[in-house]
Amino acid sequence: MALRKVKGNIERLFDKSLTDLVRGIRNNRDNEARYIAQCMDEIKLELKQDNIAVKTNAIEKLAYLQMLGYDISWAAFNIIEVMSSTKFTCKRVGYLAAAQTFSDETDVLMLTTNMIRKDITSSNLYDASIALGGLACFISNDLARDLANDAMSLMTSSKAYVRKRAVLLMYKVFLR
């Protein structure tokens, strides 16, 4: 087990970060499409690894590529996998990518109901607020129906920041 962890850390050393991706895109203005296609292939390989930090890095790069206009809907299940991490830094990247890419038509959105319920009812302020903010961006009719009672109960939270996020979410729910 320890050898696998060391091997994973050594392999992680050579992975491209988001900064490397941006730098590479700037350096390859002449053949940007080919460079991004190569990076997408590398990202697909990173998403197949077991290490959650590698997957988080890959989702972070995909979120950037989505901002540039590339379709990353094929990575929806991987985004959910990163959202379900126990580490806040991973969870934050997952919810950011979900807020950017998920819509009503996202097939795997119903798989997130129990995970989001667990996150929004978490005693951890940061987990609850990141889940409430992300959910407000990609809430669907089914999610609104399933999570409305949980969001209503958060409107009486003792934490002002959670109450504000719950109000934002309820506004989006009533728009549905």
Side-chain angles (χ1 to χ4, degrees), residues 95-169:
Y95 274 104
L96 168 71
Q100 284 182 312
T101 60
F102 288 178
S103 66
D104 291 342
E105 293 82 34
T106 305
D107 295 335
V108 295
L109 201 55
M110 287 308 296
L111 297 174
T112 63
T113 305
N114 289 329
M115 179 195 59
I116 293 172
R117 179 176 287 130
K118 183 184 67 130
D119 284 344
I120 65 175
T121 58
S122 172
S123 60
N124 185 344
L125 169 74
Y126 301 111
D127 286 347
S129 62
I130 198 81
L132 287 167
L135 182 59
C137 292
F138 60 80
I139 194 160
S140 66
N141 292 335
D142 293 331
L143 282 175
R145 182 188 65 241
D146 294 340
L147 298 173
N149 290 334
D150 295 318
M152 284 297 284
S153 66
L154 289 174
M155 297 200 36
T156 59
S157 173
S158 61
K159 300 171 185 156
Y161 191 68
V162 172
R163 282 194 311 268
K164 290 177 187 178
R165 293 285 181 139
V167 168
L168 169 69
L169 177 61

